[in-house]
Amino acid sequence: PWSEWQKVPARSYAQTTLVDAAGGIVLRALDELGLSEDTLVIWSTDHGDAVACHGGHFDKRSYMPEEMVRVPWAMRFPGRIPPGQVSQTLVSNIDLAPTILDAAGLAFEEQIDGRSLLSLAGGGTDDWRHDLMCETHGHGEDHMGRLVVTERYKYVANKDQTDELYDLENDPYELENLVSKERLSGVLDDMRKRLAAWQRATYDPQME
């Protein structure tokens, strides 16, 4: 009954409020120490919570809706990042480490997949990535799922289960799986090729 379900969003919002308050403590401490103008602040998380979406899933489970994989990311760096910007650019937690090193005037010596997000400050997106990949190995049950997402479409390949294709522009809550729609066969083929190229580059048989 709803009397039980309503406890889920209530406690989720309560936890979010708690984290917001803790972030405020950190920001006030920077002000008190006189470090606010010389500190890069990054606000993000590892994965989202299902909060009972798509049929009552909780935690991160073993599927990959936007509620799980689209997480907040905010940055403040006076003098380097103009305030008030909002971006829909495809970024990932693999960009965290190179961003921190870049702020310190450093960089990885070897080649990595992540990129510094400081290069996006001021809208420099011309040479940015056009897709992102992610995978799950299950959480509470065994499952292999891999996704590729572009600015508009999202494809999820589920091992031994139905694949998924969503038009995030027209269906941001992923309510209609378009994987069997003939009119999108070209999009599906493109997304599968992108995912296959990523798998070839990163394949580890021990991860199957």
Side-chain angles (χ1 to χ4, degrees):
W2 174 243
S3 61
E4 288 298 312
W5 282 109
Q6 66 183 358
K7 297 175 184 178
V8 177
R11 290 169 181 171
S12 176
Y13 285 129
Q15 170 120 5
T16 300
T17 302
L18 175 67
V19 173
D20 284 348
I25 293 173
V26 173
L27 295 179
R28 284 194 298 274
L30 290 174
D31 289 340
E32 292 169 0
L33 295 170
L35 298 175
S36 295
E37 298 302 310
D38 193 37
T39 300
L40 167 65
V41 176
I42 298 176
W43 182 268
S44 190
T45 182
D46 56 347
H47 65 79
D49 191 290
V51 197
C53 70
H54 294 269
H57 294 278
F58 294 95
D59 197 2
K60 59 184 177 182
R61 291 302 297 265
S62 301
Y63 68 137
M64 308 182 82
E66 291 295 275
E67 288 87 347
M68 294 305 314
V69 299
R70 187 182 179 92
V71 299
W73 188 306
M75 299 193 301
R76 186 186 75 177
F77 200 13
R80 293 287 300 275
I81 301 177
Q85 297 183 74
V86 177
S87 174
Q88 298 299 322
T89 307
L90 293 170
V91 303
S92 170
N93 55 11
I94 63 174
D95 300 321
L96 177 61
T99 299
I100 293 173
L101 286 184
D102 188 17
L106 302 171
F108 285 98
E109 295 181 359
E110 67 275 17
Q111 182 177 349
I112 61 170
D113 294 320
R115 299 177 61 180
S116 170
L117 299 186
L118 296 185
S119 62
L120 294 177
T125 61
D126 292 342
D127 186 35
W128 200 254
R129 63 172 68 97
H130 299 290
D131 52 33
L132 273 177
M133 287 75 178
C134 185
E135 69 182 25
T136 178
H137 298 273
H139 183 70
E141 59 270 315
D142 291 331
H143 175 67
M144 169 57 71
R146 293 186 171 102
L147 75 78
V148 57
V149 62
T150 63
E151 293 179 353
R152 178 171 180 177
Y153 293 101
K154 175 177 171 182
Y155 169 66
V156 184
N158 294 301
K159 185 177 182 181
D160 301 326
Q161 295 187 33
T162 303
D163 288 350
E164 304 165 72
L165 178 66
Y166 300 103
D167 181 346
L168 297 179
E169 182 177 298
N170 295 309
D171 181 25
Y173 298 108
E174 301 166 286
L175 299 179
E176 183 181 7
N177 185 359
L178 303 172
V179 74
S180 61
K181 300 294 184 180
E182 181 62 30
R183 62 183 175 83
L184 291 175
S185 59
V187 172
L188 181 61
D189 183 60
D190 174 63
M191 298 296 273
R192 284 175 168 165
K193 287 179 179 178
R194 292 173 187 251
L195 189 58
W198 172 65
Q199 288 181 247
R200 287 193 299 270
T202 62
Y203 176 68
D204 181 352
Q206 295 182 351
M207 300 295 281
E208 291 289 354

